[in-house]
Amino acid sequence: MSAAAHRRARRRTAAAVLRRRRTENRAHRDATQRVKVSDFLTSQGMPQEDVDRYGSWAGRHIASEYRAAHHGHQPRKTRKRTDPCKGHPNGFWVKVNIYRADDPALIAGARRYNRTAEYVPAA
């Protein structure tokens, strides 16, 4: 086998290994349950009116805690359709952060915001 053929074979093998790792990581990542801040606050027993009113500010505190705990990395994003309103009879799409269901930043951020602190259990 020539040197060039040997290098090509090594590159193909390395590419296959990386492809397999990415596939395994993607399967693990997709298996973890992700929640939006509104879903988290609702599961903690907060009334829907308060979730609509204070959820955005709670999300800002939670995102800040997440960035502090993860060396400045941003949380993952998803899209959420808003409720219908004037000018948007079907609502419109907004980007929101999602977190793992067991992420400590959810509890820490919600405890830091006074309006949601009473709904979150003490750490």
Side-chain angles (χ1 to χ4, degrees):
M1 182 188 283
S2 70
H6 185 64
R7 283 193 303 269
R8 275 195 305 271
R10 274 193 12 218
R11 272 184 290 186
R12 279 192 208 113
T13 304
V17 167
L18 286 175
R19 216 175 8 258
R20 189 177 67 246
R21 279 188 201 159
R22 285 185 190 130
T23 303
E24 291 169 359
N25 288 341
R26 189 175 303 118
H28 171 70
R29 182 190 68 210
D30 293 342
T32 59
Q33 182 184 4
R34 305 277 179 168
V35 295
K36 296 178 276 207
V37 172
S38 58
D39 297 338
F40 171 72
L41 294 175
T42 303
S43 72
Q44 297 298 316
M46 191 172 200
Q48 188 61 41
E49 306 85 44
D50 289 345
V51 170
D52 293 341
R53 181 180 292 162
Y54 305 121
S56 176
W57 280 99
R60 293 174 194 186
H61 287 278
I62 291 169
S64 174
E65 288 290 329
Y66 183 90
R67 285 190 297 272
H70 293 89
H71 308 289
H73 291 280
Q74 296 292 329
R76 293 186 66 189
K77 302 271 187 191
T78 190
R79 296 184 324 146
K80 172 184 172 184
R81 187 182 286 270
T82 63
D83 294 332
C85 61
K86 184 177 180 181
H88 298 281
N90 297 327
F92 55 94
W93 292 98
V94 293
K95 288 183 181 178
V96 295
N97 296 326
I98 54 174
Y99 306 90
R100 289 186 179 178
D102 59 349
D103 197 332
L106 283 168
I107 293 175
R111 296 259 338 131
R112 207 172 89 187
Y113 184 47
N114 292 336
R115 302 279 187 176
T116 58
E118 64 188 71
Y119 296 102
V120 181

